[in-house]
Amino acid sequence: MTHPLPLARRRWLAGALCLLATAPALAADAFEGDPYQSHPWSDMRREFLGAGEVVWDARVQVSGPAFAEDPMNVPVSVSVDGLTGIERIVILVDRNPIRKVLEYQPLAALPRVSFRFKLEQASPVRAAVRTADGRWHVGGTWVDSSGGGCTVSGATRKDGSWSRTLGTVSSRVFERSEAAGSASGAADTIALDAGSRIRVRVMHPMDTGLVAGVPAFYLSKLTLRDGADRELLRLQPFEPVSENPVFSFDFPVRPAGPLRLVGVDNNGNRIDSRIE
């Protein structure tokens, strides 16, 4: 003679069977479709991208070195082709102590940007592109590294020269007939098929605040303006951007000059420089 299981026991078994049946689905969704299967990604998506739909999109191209020889100066280039209604581009690094690296609004520029950043350890490097429909299109690359880029003082901080050059801007405009390398150097040199590339360098220590005795000190806003004082692009760098950053921007046609780079750092120091 068999005895029926107590009600509580039956409920426990039913719940256990339900969990077993859904375990493969839960495991498959643990990384929310992330091709890098990065554990920080789900929290990053909620913190930086909010509730918008996220799609993995091959049209968002992120280029970087396979191995970062200098973790304080890791070159990265982002290029978006075939997407319209782009509102902003956010650069994220999963395994950095400060994960948001840069936010870019192209406005009158093309959705392309190149620069260098600090990398604390091997990590996915991502570009999340928000379009007018509220959707985020995400692409990325993996960069290996020996690490330590975010927790070491830069050269100008160590020798004290940063105070003499703070806020100094240098620039160059490349015509479409020229070969214009990105901020990552000659290895990424391309021939522009149309328009112009503008490259700017701003002298600033870009301290992360993760070095003992050195508070966070970094450029917090940059805008490029044309001769009529219209904004051509907006840039929000954050602490992980490299010391004395170099940024490269592409335009479909050469903007009407004279151009000005205007900005501020998190201590209120202002930048206003004419680009010849």
Side-chain angles (χ1 to χ4, degrees), residues 146-171:
S146 58
C150 294
T151 52
V152 179
S153 293
T156 60
R157 174 62 68 181
K158 289 178 180 177
D159 63 21
S161 63
W162 66 271
S163 60
R164 298 191 297 272
T165 60
L166 183 69
T168 302
V169 176
S170 56
S171 60

Side-chain angles (χ1 to χ4, degrees), residues 169-172 198-202 222 224 235 244-249 261 275:
V169 176
S170 56
S171 60
R172 184 175 176 187
I198 296 176
R199 182 182 297 165
V200 297
R201 181 180 188 181
V202 185
L222 293 171
L224 186 67
L235 194 71
N244 301 330
V246 179
F247 303 103
S248 293
F249 313 104
L261 186 71
I275 295 176

Side-chain angles (χ1 to χ4, degrees), residues 198 224-232 254-261 274-275:
I198 296 176
L224 186 67
R225 300 175 181 268
D226 66 9
D229 202 36
R230 292 177 296 214
E231 281 187 311
L232 302 175
R254 181 168 181 167
L259 304 177
R260 290 168 53 228
L261 186 71
R274 180 166 169 161
I275 295 176

Side-chain angles (χ1 to χ4, degrees), residues 194-224:
S196 300
R197 169 166 290 186
I198 296 176
R199 182 182 297 165
V200 297
R201 181 180 188 181
V202 185
M203 302 300 288
H204 201 285
M206 299 299 291
D207 298 309
T208 61
L210 301 176
V211 178
V214 182
F217 183 39
Y218 59 95
L219 294 167
S220 57
K221 182 180 179 182
L222 293 171
T223 66
L224 186 67

